[in-house]
Amino acid sequence: MVAQIPGGEDAFWSRPDRLAGLETPCFVFDPARILAAYQRLKTALGTPLIVSIKANPNPDVLARCVHEFADGVEVASIGELNVVIGRAPGPKFVASPALDEALVLAAASCRAHIVVDSRAQADLLIGLRPRLRTPPALLIRVNAGALLAGQTSGLKADHFGVEPAEAVALAQALQAADFKVIGLHVFAGSGAFARTAPFIAQAMQALAERVSEALGQPLSILNLGGGFDTSWEDDPTLMAAYCGSLAPLRRHFTVVHESGRAVFEPGGTFVTRVVSTKALGGRWIAVCDGGMAQAFRLAQTETFIKNRRAPIVVPAGPSAPPSDRPVSFVGNSCNPADIIGAAEGMPPPRAGDVVLFDRLGAYHTYTPTAFLNLRNAKKYLVS
Ligand SMILES: Cc1ncc(COP(=O)(O)O)c(C=O)c1O
């Protein structure tokens, strides 16, 4: 069980007593903000919304949110399945390119559905069928790039799912082996919504009709993925046009979406403290007690053009005049990429300043290694 901090009307960092009690580095998750983000996206879409647990597999966060996640959760490993079993009452969808016998048996034993990623996975399931007293219901994952071949969606190719023609063949083979194929799944990638969504809806309709015809019965679920980034609310026209375009599809199928980032990101804050400072090359360096080892995404190592985040800084002492030097916030590792934030026009940083990066509630477990044996971030929940 993670530690609790009391909630209130204001952000927790506006109360010095709440900040003082935090052991840093830490993440503070606020279930109320997560649930509000979930409801906003679900309402805007007007469809069921499945939650991708990979974005925040913290069991205590899940325990406080799962009553609202009734449309289902998507898990990618036995570890994630173990987090949701006994907690998530809605449907569970297991989707992994590395599905193996253990994951199939675990999924079947807790009545989860399986998203089939390849012919090899279909063969694995067919081979295991005699051992499955209650076979899991299946969806076939279609590769988004192959689905949209020839369309100008600017989609980066990935290795997930199968070609559309193969989806039809796999659905038939699985049905012949006495599995229930209930739907199709596609995920064009995180952040791909604006570029791909309208194309996906159209292409999935055509494919779903082909598969339904081949099976001799209609598919019940079309999971169109999502790829919503956290700024999806900035363009309500795009969302409204997209939802309008779903109408023909929704006449025949239950359309669902799934999301991780847009649900969890707004509900988490990374908190670290400045441990020492120095002036170097015309800027201030504020060395923090946490960095890329605990909040890897802040270092933006996977981004070509780095747009450093400006943290909220709660000064340790009385306010001071702004400095004309910019400040680089760096983490506690010896990796030169460990730069977690930048700010201009702030007072010189001081040891003890509290540095907060809000909207960092998703993918906090995404970290490359346990390099340097640095301390893990502590986790708190706003109650
Ligand atoms: C199949 C699938 N669904 C959903 C997600 C969640 O993506 P996001 O957190 O960007 O919504 C991912 C992310 O990798 C994914 O691979």
Side-chain angles (χ1 to χ4, degrees), residues 129-143:
R129 178 64 188 88
R131 290 170 59 192
L132 302 170
R133 248 193 331 142
T134 312
L138 305 177
L139 290 85
I140 314 275
R141 180 162 177 177
V142 189
N143 180 271

Side-chain angles (χ1 to χ4, degrees), residues 115-366:
V115 179
V116 181
D117 186 78
S118 64
R119 181 168 286 275
Q121 291 192 0
D123 290 343
L124 172 71
L125 283 157
I126 292 168
L128 288 172
R129 178 64 188 88
R131 290 170 59 192
L132 302 170
R133 248 193 331 142
T134 312
L138 305 177
L139 290 85
I140 314 275
R141 180 162 177 177
V142 189
N143 180 271
L147 183 72
L148 302 186
Q151 313 232 30
T152 52
S153 62
L155 186 65
K156 267 208 298 194
D158 67 35
H159 56 274
F160 303 107
V162 298
E163 308 224 340
E166 192 158 34
V168 182
L170 292 190
Q172 286 177 304
L174 288 160
Q175 185 188 49
D178 196 23
F179 282 99
K180 202 161 184 325
V181 179
I182 58 169
L184 296 175
H185 176 270
V186 65
F187 183 76
S190 287
F193 172 69
R195 275 173 289 131
T196 59
F199 301 103
I200 295 231
Q202 230 180 13
M204 280 291 265
Q205 169 143 20
L207 182 59
E209 281 164 7
R210 268 173 75 193
V211 175
S212 298
E213 204 179 296
L215 293 178
Q217 60 190 57
L219 292 171
S220 44
I221 300 184
L222 288 192
N223 184 338
L224 302 186
F228 309 103
D229 60 30
T230 43
S231 56
W232 67 267
E233 283 160 294
D234 295 350
D235 194 347
T237 334
L238 172 76
M239 182 58 95
Y242 170 67
C243 294
S245 78
L246 294 180
L249 198 55
R250 295 183 65 187
R251 272 199 284 281
H252 303 287
F253 303 100
T254 299
V255 171
V256 306
H257 292 88
E258 74 192 9
S259 171
R261 190 175 309 264
V263 173
F264 291 106
E265 187 129 306
T269 312
F270 180 61
V271 189
T272 178
R273 281 192 174 84
V274 176
V275 288
S276 77
T277 65
K278 64 183 173 186
L280 182 72
R283 59 191 176 135
W284 291 109
I285 307 290
V287 183
C288 301
D289 63 5
M292 71 189 301
Q294 297 86 8
F296 181 63
R297 290 176 54 218
L298 285 175
Q300 302 179 6
T301 55
E302 295 174 347
T303 317
F304 186 61
I305 299 171
K306 305 205 187 326
N307 191 3
R308 298 283 180 207
R309 300 238 339 230
I312 300 158
V313 178
V314 181
S319 59
S323 163
D324 53 7
R325 291 178 187 220
V327 183
S328 290
F329 295 88
V330 305
N332 51 347
S333 77
C334 56
N335 189 329
D338 199 354
I339 301 170
I340 55 173
E344 297 199 4
M346 64 168 272
R350 280 172 292 194
D353 287 353
V354 182
V355 177
L356 299 108
F357 294 90
D358 194 27
R359 300 181 69 86
L360 208 69
Y363 298 107
H364 64 284
T365 52
Y366 186 58

